[in-house]
Amino acid sequence: KEVDENPENIKLLQNFILILFYSGKYFKPQKNEYADIEIIYDKSNIDNGNYLLLNKKTTLLIYDNKLKKSKSFNITKGSLLHTYLIRLINIRNENNTTYLFENKNGKKLSRNNLTKLIGKIFDKYFSKKITPNVLCDIYDSKVKLEDEYFKKI
């Protein structure tokens, strides 16, 4: 469905994409690294940061400061996440914005604001106060349990 570009609908679209990012369905959730994702179209623009690279593939590049390298996650074209990401990216391009996620003032989302926003989203839609760190821990625990289960088979 098309999203009209009133601020409330754009906020809803952004929140839905954040839920998909932390769902673990498309890739392993990352703690607060999603806050400052910059939309780029050319790999030569990559520095030590977090990017959504749009070229032949749609690739999420998350820079790990501890490891000093990027982790990349391909986003399948035609997937629900890809469809909504492209819509949000088009809105950001129309507004001459380079960051994927914004705060209520239209500025780049800080990591602290992302933590608060995730808490509000999950409280509103799931009646659970939760943080990105907890979501990552839940994902890691689930993967560990599945690995142990399949080793027994």
Side-chain angles (χ1 to χ4, degrees):
K1 182 180 174 186
E2 284 296 312
V3 176
D4 70 13
E5 295 182 21
N6 75 52
E8 195 57 38
N9 285 344
I10 294 170
K11 179 181 161 189
L12 188 62
L13 177 61
Q14 174 178 288
N15 291 352
F16 183 67
I17 291 170
L18 280 167
I19 289 171
L20 292 176
F21 270 42
Y22 283 102
S23 71
K25 179 177 180 176
Y26 298 96
F27 39 79
K28 181 183 186 299
Q30 306 295 307
K31 299 197 182 208
N32 290 338
E33 284 83 352
Y34 300 142
D36 56 357
I37 293 173
E38 189 172 353
I39 304 162
I40 60 169
Y41 298 90
D42 182 2
K43 206 170 188 171
S44 65
N45 295 333
I46 293 175
D47 195 10
N48 295 347
N50 300 317
Y51 301 96
L52 184 64
L53 175 62
L54 296 169
N55 49 20
K56 290 180 184 174
K57 293 182 180 178
T58 304
T59 306
L60 179 63
L61 300 168
I62 301 295
Y63 186 76
D64 188 323
N65 278 317
K66 290 179 188 167
L67 299 176
K68 300 294 182 205
K69 67 177 189 176
S70 288
K71 299 176 231 172
S72 65
F73 307 96
N74 288 324
I75 299 169
T76 307
K77 287 189 178 177
S79 68
L80 186 65
L81 176 59
H82 185 267
T83 302
Y84 285 109
L85 264 176
I86 295 303
R87 183 65 189 125
L88 184 60
I89 289 163
N90 289 338
I91 291 169
R92 297 297 189 235
N93 286 339
E94 290 167 12
N95 296 330
N96 295 318
T97 307
T98 59
Y99 287 96
L100 186 60
F101 300 119
E102 296 180 347
N103 64 21
K104 62 184 175 187
N105 300 321
K107 304 289 182 202
K108 174 177 79 167
L109 195 62
S110 71
R111 290 174 182 232
N112 188 38
N113 284 346
L114 175 64
T115 299
K116 291 176 183 176
L117 180 58
I118 292 297
K120 287 177 185 176
I121 291 169
F122 277 82
D123 188 35
K124 179 176 181 177
Y125 296 109
F126 306 107
S127 300
K128 303 280 182 201
K129 292 229 180 208
I130 200 161
T131 66
N133 291 352
V134 170
L135 291 168
C136 291
D137 291 344
I138 291 168
Y139 179 87
D140 289 341
S141 297
K142 179 180 178 285
V143 168
K144 184 178 177 188
L145 286 172
E146 287 174 353
D147 286 347
E148 289 173 5
Y149 173 77
F150 286 113
K151 284 179 185 175
K152 291 178 183 178
I153 294 178

